[in-house]
Amino acid sequence: MTRAILTLLFTVTFVVSPYFSNPFSGFEADQLPIPQIDPPIQPAGYAFGIWGLIYAWLLVSALFGIWSRRFDAGWDVMRAPLIVSLALGTPWLWVANQSAIAASVLIFFMLAPAIVALLRAPDYDGWLARAPVSVYAGWLTAASFVSLGSTAAGYGLLFDATGWAYAGIVLTLVVALAVQWHVPQAPGYGLTIIWALIAIIVTNGLNGITALCVAGIVLVGALVAKQVLDQRR
């Protein structure tokens, strides 16, 4: 019961947090020594609209959980890491408006327990347990490496913005393919990665980064399609 209450509590704080912070669609030029204006790793602005789906679905999940699964051990196993991720995510927008480095570190600390929650999600109640967490974890996967790439390029570490776009997309795909391989029942995770890659293509137009994104879409899409077909046999 306690975990169900905490999940609902931190889901609510996470969902309402945008109302207490300035809007965020990328780091401001004055937050980084080398201003990153429209960095090539950043998805097109429309893609961030997925947060509306994430917020709504997580809230529905938390409400269903406390109403019908408050004593459910399978849900509790998922809830523990999800609570950590949501608690860390509640101040993220405020942190992102203060410090690019702090935000980039914090989002990885959000991502790790979100992936654990996805791996622990129960096989039943798929649309109300695993599915919302899969979309949440999928977007965090992409967003984490976007944040890393923008911040690292902004400090001139190793590569320029284009180099970090390539590196960030490759790292996203490595993590995404590994996670998707281990959660064949969660196509929403891979589809969210594809959503992010398409939005990066929109930002870049025709160039090498787009080619890499297309390759990534093919790889992730093929894995998701294979897993869906295998489950239907």
Side-chain angles (χ1 to χ4, degrees), residues 4-40:
I5 294 172
L6 289 175
T7 300
L8 178 59
L9 171 64
F10 284 112
T11 298
V12 170
T13 61
F14 185 62
V15 168
V16 303
S17 63
Y19 296 99
F20 297 93
S21 301
N22 294 326
F24 180 82
S25 57
F27 298 120
E28 298 294 333
D30 60 359
Q31 286 184 271
L32 297 164
I34 304 172
Q36 298 297 295
I37 300 171
D38 297 327

Side-chain angles (χ1 to χ4, degrees), residues 72-198:
D72 191 289
W75 275 65
D76 273 352
V77 172
M78 173 188 71
R79 284 174 176 136
L82 182 59
I83 289 166
V84 174
S85 181
L86 294 172
L88 292 172
T90 295
W92 190 86
L93 286 173
W94 180 86
V95 172
N97 282 303
Q98 309 305 313
S99 169
I101 292 177
S104 297
V105 171
L106 181 58
I107 199 169
F108 278 96
F109 279 99
M110 293 166 60
L111 171 63
I115 290 175
V116 173
L118 175 58
L119 295 173
R120 293 182 178 181
D123 292 331
Y124 49 93
D125 298 326
W127 286 102
L128 290 166
R130 180 181 290 114
V133 175
S134 71
V135 177
Y136 173 59
W139 186 253
L140 279 183
T141 301
S144 294
F145 290 104
V146 168
S147 182
L148 172 64
S150 297
T151 302
Y155 279 88
L157 300 177
L158 298 178
F159 314 119
D160 61 7
T162 300
W164 272 109
Y166 284 110
I169 293 166
V170 168
L171 291 170
T172 298
L173 290 173
V174 169
V175 173
L177 289 168
V179 173
Q180 187 63 59
W181 181 268
H182 285 89
V183 282
Q185 308 91 344
Y189 177 85
L191 292 176
T192 303
I193 297 296
I194 290 173
W195 170 267
L197 292 173
I198 290 173

Side-chain angles (χ1 to χ4, degrees), residues 33-87:
I34 304 172
Q36 298 297 295
I37 300 171
D38 297 327
I41 195 174
Q42 186 164 301
Y46 77 85
F48 293 87
I50 197 173
W51 276 115
L53 172 64
I54 293 170
Y55 289 144
W57 214 345
L58 286 175
L59 186 57
V60 169
S61 175
L63 289 169
F64 174 80
I66 203 167
W67 181 262
S68 298
R69 299 290 186 268
R70 56 187 175 275
F71 300 113
D72 191 289
W75 275 65
D76 273 352
V77 172
M78 173 188 71
R79 284 174 176 136
L82 182 59
I83 289 166
V84 174
S85 181
L86 294 172

